[in-house]
Amino acid sequence: MPVTQLIPLDERIAVLQGFNPWWLGRPVSAPVFRRLAFDACRVYFDNPTLRRAVLLSGPRRVGKTTVLYQLAEALLGEGLEPRSILYLSLDHPVLKLLGLRDILALYHAHIQGEGRPTVLLLDEVQYARAWETEVKLLVDHGPNYRIVATGSASVVHRDRLAESGVGRWVTVQVPTLSFYEFVRIRGEPLPSLDPGLRPQDLFALPAADLLQVAAQLRPLLPLFQRYLLVGGFPETARQEDIGLCQRLLREDVVERVLKRDMTALFGVRNVNELERLFIYLCLHTGGILAHQTVAKTLEAYLVTKQDADFGVSRITGIDTEFLKVPAHVLCYLLGQAERLLWQ
């Protein structure tokens, strides 16, 4: 029996309406603060000659979903027809069963007629079946669609994207918060520096001017120390309790990456050993990683490099089992180490 017959029609439509309250005239509840990635996304989205989908890629909890809602809010404010904007969180159980093609057929049959301009906001796109092929077909044969999608950097595999999406995607990286964004999201006052001053210009400044810049930036030092602890994510940037921030990072970010994303994508069979390696890196952050020492201490995974890929290898006597891990995933895990265990 087809999946569409297992789930009643009214329930399928209700799921779509729940994700798109603007169809019923309700406002979009998007945060006022906009990350720099929002402006980069608009540059590509507003380019009428660019026949590509926009992919927002980055770690968990950095605000990719928020960018989609802010884009919907901005487009509605510019007068776009509400029913022409379709937001989908593709990790929803019902949407996982339906698949992207069935969802669009349902949308065009009951919400927005086929052939009319449509903005597709696809959140967690990697959960859709054969999403690379489906989006490729939409870009190639659906000129009425404008597509913006999000995907976790540890899940959207670059090799798979390169194979099926050459010329169909433009990627906007959404990293953790910069210090500038951290100050802005907290609503702290910014120093009145020359807007044309670039970091590289500091090396050529006369000593007197450099001292003046340092004096203007000195009040930000306590904030910078806090940023090093908790400032990477919008949710923790606003929290005052550092202990709570570190707990949120452990539970919502790192544990999900270690125990969910990396096991699903890279085939890690012994998550406990990989977690022990991560804890070891936390305790020795800033130091030199000695492979032999780690092997004797953990008898677990070692960070290695083979060809053009970073990865971790299982040491079992003289045999090694290489587990491919993209460099950005490894750097992301290492980047969280000091924040998590720094007391």
Side-chain angles (χ1 to χ4, degrees):
M1 180 180 296
V3 174
T4 53
Q5 296 182 18
L6 295 175
I7 305 173
L9 176 62
D10 57 349
E11 183 175 341
R12 285 177 273 150
I13 294 177
V15 171
L16 297 187
Q17 290 176 335
F19 282 127
N20 299 269
W22 46 86
W23 293 350
L24 304 177
R26 299 171 187 166
V28 183
S29 56
V32 176
F33 171 77
R34 290 178 176 176
R35 297 211 51 189
L36 298 176
F38 174 85
D39 297 324
C41 179
R42 282 303 309 248
V43 169
Y44 294 123
F45 182 85
D46 293 336
N47 186 346
T49 64
L50 186 66
R51 285 294 306 149
R52 296 192 181 194
V54 180
L55 174 64
L56 301 172
S57 178
R60 292 180 179 273
R61 312 297 294 177
V62 294
K64 301 187 297 294
T65 299
T66 297
V67 172
L68 293 186
Y69 276 114
Q70 289 173 334
L71 180 59
E73 182 181 48
L75 294 175
L76 291 170
E78 295 166 8
L80 196 66
E81 165 62 33
R83 291 179 176 268
S84 68
I85 301 175
L86 173 61
Y87 169 85
L88 299 171
S89 182
L90 293 169
D91 62 347
H92 189 280
V94 171
L95 300 188
K96 281 184 180 180
L97 290 175
L98 289 176
L100 188 55
R101 188 172 303 184
D102 293 333
I103 296 170
L104 291 178
L106 177 68
Y107 168 73
H108 288 308
H110 300 278
I111 307 297
Q112 175 85 328
E114 194 164 3
R116 302 182 63 181
T118 301
V119 175
L120 291 182
L121 305 177
L122 307 178
D123 202 6
E124 300 288 0
V125 68
Q126 71 275 357
Y127 287 104
R129 295 194 306 271
W131 64 272
E132 306 99 322
T133 303
E134 294 292 345
V135 174
K136 173 182 176 295
L137 292 174
L138 290 175
V139 172
D140 290 344
H141 306 293
N144 297 314
Y145 291 112
R146 301 299 305 278
I147 304 171
V148 181
T150 74
S152 176
S154 57
V155 177
V156 178
H157 198 257
R158 292 180 181 271
D159 290 346
R160 292 172 59 193
L161 194 62
E163 291 172 3
S164 61
V166 174
R168 279 87 177 187
W169 292 95
V170 57
T171 302
V172 175
Q173 296 295 337
V174 188
T176 51
L177 292 172
S178 66
F179 181 59
Y180 170 75
E181 291 177 308
F182 174 76
V183 174
R184 284 190 56 217
I185 199 173
R186 287 178 58 88
E188 304 285 351
L190 292 168
S192 56
L193 299 174
D194 180 0
L197 183 66
R198 301 170 300 173
Q200 56 265 38
D201 297 335
L202 297 175
F203 297 98
L205 284 180
D209 293 341
L210 191 60
L211 287 174
Q212 183 179 1
V213 171
Q216 290 177 285
L217 295 176
R218 190 168 292 113
L220 296 179
L221 279 176
L223 282 175
F224 185 69
Q225 293 172 353
R226 186 176 189 86
Y227 166 74
L228 292 177
L229 292 173
V230 303
F233 299 88
E235 183 180 13
T236 58
R238 297 187 180 97
Q239 293 287 340
E240 297 301 327
D241 187 340
I242 293 180
L244 175 60
C245 293
Q246 293 176 336
R247 178 179 175 182
L248 291 174
L249 287 176
R250 282 194 296 268
E251 295 179 355
D252 294 347
V253 181
V254 175
E255 288 194 8
R256 289 191 180 184
V257 171
L258 288 175
K259 298 181 179 179
R260 179 176 174 181
D261 294 344
M262 296 188 73
T263 55
L265 186 60
F266 304 118
V268 177
R269 293 187 295 274
N270 195 328
V271 180
N272 291 332
E273 291 189 349
L274 184 59
E275 186 176 18
R276 290 175 65 197
L277 170 64
F278 178 69
I279 295 173
Y280 179 90
L281 295 174
C282 290
L283 295 173
H284 297 82
T285 179
I288 298 175
L289 180 65
H291 290 189
Q292 295 299 326
T293 302
V294 176
K296 293 177 181 178
T297 304
L298 298 181
E299 297 181 353
Y301 291 98
L302 299 182
V303 181
T304 62
K305 187 178 186 299
Q306 289 188 0
D307 301 325
D309 297 311
F310 284 87
V312 291
S313 293
R314 175 74 165 118
I315 303 300
T316 55
I318 60 173
D319 297 324
T320 63
E321 177 186 349
F322 184 73
L323 174 65
K324 183 177 176 184
V325 178
H328 64 279
V329 177
L330 183 60
C331 292
Y332 163 68
L333 291 175
L334 293 173
Q336 303 310 314
E338 197 157 350
R339 287 194 179 115
L340 289 176
L341 295 182
W342 191 358
Q343 298 296 332

